[in-house]
Each structure stands twice: as structure tokens, then as C-alpha cells.
Amino acid sequence: MKFVASIDPVTRLEGHMKVEVTIDTVRGRQQVVDAKAAGTLFRGFENILVGRDPRDAQHITERICGVCPISHAMAAVLALDSACGVQIPTNALWLRNLVMGANFIDSHILHFYLLAIPDYLDGPAKAPWMPTWGVDKRITGATAQTLIGHYVQAIAMRRKAHEMGAIFGGKLPHPPTYLAGGFTSEVTEEHITKFLGYLAELTSFITDVYLPDVELFGQVYKDYLNIGRGPGNLLAFGCFDLDIAGKSKLLRRGRVVAGAQSRRSSDDDDDDNDDDDNRVKSGSRTEPVNLSFITEQVSHSWYQPSRGLNPANGVTSAQYPKPNAYSWLKAPRYQAQPYEVGALARMKVNGDYTGGVSVVDRHRARAQETIKIATAMAGWVAQLKPGEPVYAEPTIPASATSYGLTEAPRGALGHWVRINNGVISHYQVLTPTCWNCSPRDDRRQPGPVEAALIGTPIRDKNQPIEVLRVIHSFDPCLDCAVHVVQPKAGAKMFAVPSFRA
Ligand code: NFE
């Protein structure tokens, strides 16, 4: 008999998410047969930006989230650099990368130890380890004790990653140092030495603790290599520019299409990536990204009906209630298909990760990406030139249309901006969690997290911890995807309207 489990809110992620799964017995096995994921708050940041000075964009959009603010600053200043036609000094290139790298290290350590690992082992019988579901905890005894010790160590490591980023960022999580035209902090020998000290300590933690712990987890929970796949389409905008023109990146732009080995359609010309040698080591090929193929569909979202708009023309206009809608997230699609974004997508697109798409693969790719970034950061520090410029003053145009693409720790991030009469007339932000946690689209196709949940085996339908493991593997951040709540008078915390309303 079908059983519906509603997890609301889903904890150990950023923001407010509700998930409803239908569990049934299929060929003698209890599993998820349907899933709906919802963001339960409205985000209105795009509307806040209209009418503002374009130079405010990075300061305001950083406040979308405390976990990935640097990426929002990066996307905003890339859009403005391009709108102004300004060429930033090379010092600024490395400074922008270094502060964003510090944020990636912080975010990935946070995710594995503080958000994900409590799904797999029991900790001390007190908060935040209690209450918990007592199902399928295979990491026990001395191994569990070691991991709990690493959990505590990870808290200190996160602080160090923040302190490292603040050396050049001024402060974290919301640094004021990202500007169109470059950066504001000074490069000194003292700053460089201090930064390298932090980086060495974090690199040791990643190498000696984080990577081995993820491998251990992957061995103990091998079955999760076959759980939580999702659509299998992967998308990355790419990040960490290695030259001023942004042509070369540490993690490149591209797509991996589920089941496709190679095909470059004639109408799929890449507008940003002209690299022909795009074969990845996994044997599949990366396909280019054509931004005009992105639409945000709202048939199941609490927004006024539209026919799937490209972010360049996107509208953030709420409609609540609305028939068939169940989420404040829009449903971004590429050529009408759902795409997963995140570290696994980046590492697969870049040819650095040759495994599959699953719960374990997401954790492994995230850990392997962390050491790749930390290693690259040491090289960027070496290229800093003390005393050399960090800023080239831009001229803000009276009118312009532009975009900035980068990656946040959780995946592809884009900002689209239009300037008229010297002020912002239109702004759209497309976040990673919108891609991953999107609801059904116009064709009723599930979003990546919804698709990943369908088929997940469930041991105890009253304690469906497997559902949490799949969701957490994506590291959702609903704060990035939605904002601002207006609860009904007298509503109880858990009394969110039913999906079937
Ligand atoms: Ni709030 Fe974010 C990241 C962005 S996810 S954490 O990473 O953009 O939607």
C-alpha cells in the first residue's frame, strides 16, 4: 500500500525545503515511487535591485546567502566588468579567485562533516546529533568516534578558511572588496605569508582527513553508488578564470548529456567556449553551453504564468496561491531538459572525475575538487605582485545588457543585468539550487533532486533516512533559491499547505 512521507522542513541544509515522497512496494522492494521537492519561501532579490546604481549589485546580491556570497559577488562583478568594457589588473584576477577559493574550501568541509555525515553515524546523545533516525547507521565504534572528532575539527577548519578569505576579502562571509574593475585590498608580503600559512594547514586537513574520510564513507556505503542518480545531465558554467579574458578556467564550462557519447549539433554553437578538444576522460564528451537554450519554467511554481523565459528576460512576479504550483523555485531547463549542477558536474565536465552519478559520487567529486582548488590557490598566491594595481576604474555605461557566469560551491551561477539611464532596469539571478531542487516543469518532468529520489530503496517508511541522504548529497541551499516569508496568521511552523491542495 502506498505511503506518503512528508519531511518538512528538511534539516541540515541552508534555507527552507519541504520534500514529500510516496513509498510503495515494487517487485518486493519498498522504494520511493514519486517525489516532490519545494522551496517554501519567496525570493525577491531581483526586484530589490531595480532602480539601483549598478555598482551596488555585488554588495546586495552577496546578501542572498551567507554560504556562497563570494560567488554572487563574482557573478555580479563579471557582469559589470563586461557591461563597462573594463579590463581588470592581473592582481585582481588572482585576488578574486583566492577569496572565492577560500569560500569553496569552507563550504565543502561544512557540507561533508556538519550537514551530511550525521546521516550515516550516531553521535553523542545530545544536539545537534539528537533527535535522529536509528536506521542503517553502519559507521560505528572507534571509526564513528574518529569521525565525530573530525566533525569537531571541521568546525575549526571552517573558521580558518573564513579567516584566510578575510585576509584579502576584508571580512567574510560578505566581503566588500569585489568591484567592477577589480578588487580593493592591498597585496603585501605580510598578507601573502599569512595566507599561505592558512592554506598549508587547510591543505593538510583536506589531504589527511577529508579525502580519506570520504573514501571510507564510500567503501562502507558502496550501495549508494547506485542510489540517487537523477537525470544524469550535468551542467557547469565554469569558474576560476586563469586569464583576464576568462577564456581559460581551472574548471571549465560545458555539459555532459546522459547517455550521449558525442554529438555537437549545428545549432548548438557555443557562445563562450571555443575549445574543440572537449573529450573528457570518462569516455563521454562535454557539449558546449548556449545560454539562449536556458528557460525558467513556472507551471508548478508560485509565479505568474509565462512560457518559459530566458533569464535575460526573466520575470520575478509571485502568484500565490496558484493551481498545480507547489514551490517558490522556478524550474530551469536547458533545451527543455533538467540538468544537475555542482561539484560532480564541474569535475565531470572538466574531465577530472571518471565515476558515475550517485550519492557517493557527489561526495567524492566534492572532496576531490576541494584539493584541486586548494592546490591551484597556492599557484595563484605565487603570482600576486605586491604593490602592483588591483583596480582599474570603470565607466558605468548609460545603457548596457550583460551577464556574469561563474560557479558557486553548489553549482552553476549566473547573473543577468540590464542597465538603462545609468541604473539597473532588470536583474535576474539563476542559482544552483534552482537547477537541482526545481519542481516539475511544463512537461511535468521532475527536477534533478525529485528524479534522484524516485527509485530510492527505503528500509523503514516511518524513518526514511535514505531520502535525506539523497537530498543532502546535492547540498541544497534554499536560501539562495528563495527568500522572504509571509506566513498566514496563526500558521504553525510545520503547517505548510499540502502539495495536493
Ligand atoms: Ni546559498 Fe548558493 C551556492 C548560490 S545555492 S549556497 O553554492 O548561488 O543555490
Side-chain angles (χ1 to χ4, degrees):
M1 202 172 77
K2 283 187 181 170
F3 178 88
V4 176
S6 180
I7 306 178
D8 178 19
V10 181
T11 55
R12 275 185 282 109
L13 49 74
E14 182 65 28
H16 301 78
M17 183 183 194
K18 171 183 178 178
V19 167
E20 193 173 274
V21 290
T22 305
I23 298 167
D24 201 359
T25 303
V26 179
R27 289 186 289 279
R29 201 176 71 146
Q30 195 167 246
Q31 60 179 250
V32 175
V33 294
D34 192 17
K36 284 187 173 169
T40 57
L41 295 182
F42 168 64
R43 186 189 74 197
F45 260 76
E46 286 93 344
N47 300 343
I48 294 171
L49 284 149
V50 173
R52 304 247 178 196
D53 188 310
R55 287 165 294 191
D56 288 345
Q58 72 277 17
H59 301 306
I60 293 173
T61 57
E62 278 184 17
R63 270 74 189 176
I64 285 174
C65 180
V67 186
C68 64
I70 324 293
S71 300
H72 286 288
M74 182 74 99
V77 296
L78 288 174
L80 292 177
D81 288 348
S82 154
C84 301
V86 66
Q87 184 162 321
I88 66 168
T90 45
N91 260 351
L93 179 74
W94 307 126
L95 289 169
R96 285 179 178 182
N97 282 355
L98 286 166
V99 178
M100 195 163 98
N103 180 230
F104 270 62
I105 292 173
D106 161 48
S107 184
H108 287 356
I109 292 173
L110 157 73
H111 176 254
F112 184 68
Y113 286 102
L114 307 190
L115 305 181
I117 206 69
D119 289 341
Y120 300 92
L121 57 91
D122 284 326
K126 57 184 175 188
W129 295 88
M130 297 290 283
T132 187
W133 282 336
V135 181
D136 189 31
K137 302 285 179 60
R138 296 178 218 165
I139 300 174
T140 57
T143 310
Q145 288 311 310
T146 304
L147 274 167
I148 291 165
H150 294 168
Y151 173 104
V152 175
Q153 207 184 340
I155 296 170
M157 288 297 143
R158 287 197 60 213
R159 175 170 57 77
K160 285 174 193 280
H162 266 217
E163 288 173 357
M164 176 171 72
I167 292 170
F168 292 123
K171 70 181 184 68
L172 256 70
H174 300 115
T177 45
Y178 284 78
L179 294 184
F183 215 71
T184 61
S185 58
E186 248 188 313
V187 177
T188 65
E189 293 291 358
E190 188 192 342
H191 284 156
I192 289 173
T193 307
K194 213 168 154 189
F195 197 99
L196 286 174
Y198 277 104
L199 186 58
E201 193 175 353
L202 284 158
T203 302
S204 298
F205 178 78
I206 298 161
T207 309
D208 301 338
V209 181
Y210 180 22
L211 278 160
D213 283 352
V214 170
E215 275 317 302
L216 172 102
F217 150 76
Q219 290 300 324
V220 176
Y221 282 93
K222 258 198 184 108
D223 44 330
Y224 277 79
L225 281 163
N226 295 310
I227 293 174
R229 174 174 159 82
N233 300 321
L234 306 170
L235 170 82
F237 285 160
C239 62
F240 296 117
D241 290 351
L242 303 177
D243 60 23
I244 299 292
K247 285 287 172 196
S248 166
K249 298 177 191 300
L250 180 73
L251 292 159
R252 56 180 304 184
R253 185 167 304 163
R255 292 178 297 125
V256 173
V257 182
Q261 287 302 304
S262 66
R263 191 180 59 80
R264 186 193 279 258
S265 64
S266 55
D267 62 347
D268 199 17
D269 289 328
D270 178 11
D271 57 354
D272 290 291
N273 183 347
D274 50 13
D275 188 347
D276 282 335
D277 180 21
N278 55 4
R279 184 172 291 280
V280 298
K281 286 176 198 156
S282 61
S284 56
R285 283 175 66 97
T286 55
E287 301 282 340
V289 175
N290 181 331
L291 297 182
S292 68
F293 290 151
I294 297 174
T295 53
E296 291 193 280
Q297 306 185 1
V298 296
S299 51
H300 294 79
S301 312
W302 286 307
Y303 293 95
Q304 288 183 0
S306 74
R307 53 173 178 77
L309 297 173
N310 183 263
N313 299 307
V315 175
T316 305
S317 191
Q319 180 182 330
Y320 179 89
K322 176 180 162 187
N324 299 320
Y326 63 92
S327 180
W328 284 109
L329 275 65
K330 297 176 183 175
R333 298 291 185 261
Y334 187 96
Q335 286 180 314
Q337 295 302 313
Y339 272 77
E340 173 177 342
V341 299
L344 179 61
R346 287 190 288 266
M347 294 290 276
K348 292 277 280 185
V349 164
N350 214 51
D352 289 321
Y353 189 80
T354 52
V357 178
S358 70
V359 168
V360 167
D361 288 300
R362 288 188 191 99
H363 288 290
R364 280 188 179 151
R366 210 175 271 115
Q368 291 175 21
E369 180 185 71
T370 315
I371 194 62
K372 181 180 175 79
I373 292 170
T375 306
M377 285 168 71
W380 301 333
V381 176
Q383 304 205 50
L384 287 172
K385 298 216 167 38
E388 300 263 314
V390 294
Y391 177 67
E393 189 166 355
T395 304
I396 304 294
S399 64
T401 302
S402 180
Y403 59 82
L405 303 181
T406 187
E407 293 280 327
R410 286 150 200 78
L413 172 66
H415 287 198
W416 280 257
V417 63
R418 218 157 42 229
I419 299 171
N420 270 320
N421 298 320
V423 298
I424 294 170
S425 60
H426 179 264
Y427 208 99
Q428 284 288 302
V429 174
L430 177 46
T431 62
T433 294
C434 266
W435 285 101
N436 286 339
C437 296
S438 62
R440 300 297 200 265
D441 58 27
D442 295 354
R443 299 178 181 178
R444 300 186 60 79
Q445 296 178 106
V449 165
E450 293 179 334
L453 283 167
I454 295 169
T456 298
I458 302 292
R459 286 172 195 239
D460 177 352
K461 64 183 188 311
N462 293 305
Q463 302 182 77
I465 198 159
E466 299 86 350
V467 170
L468 288 185
R469 290 170 176 169
V470 171
I471 296 169
H472 285 149
S473 72
F474 284 86
D475 189 12
C477 171
L478 279 292
D479 273 351
C480 270
V482 291
H483 279 271
V484 186
V485 67
Q486 195 174 16
K488 280 186 193 159
K492 291 199 178 103
M493 191 175 167
F494 301 113
V496 173
S498 160
F499 287 129
R500 287 170 178 74

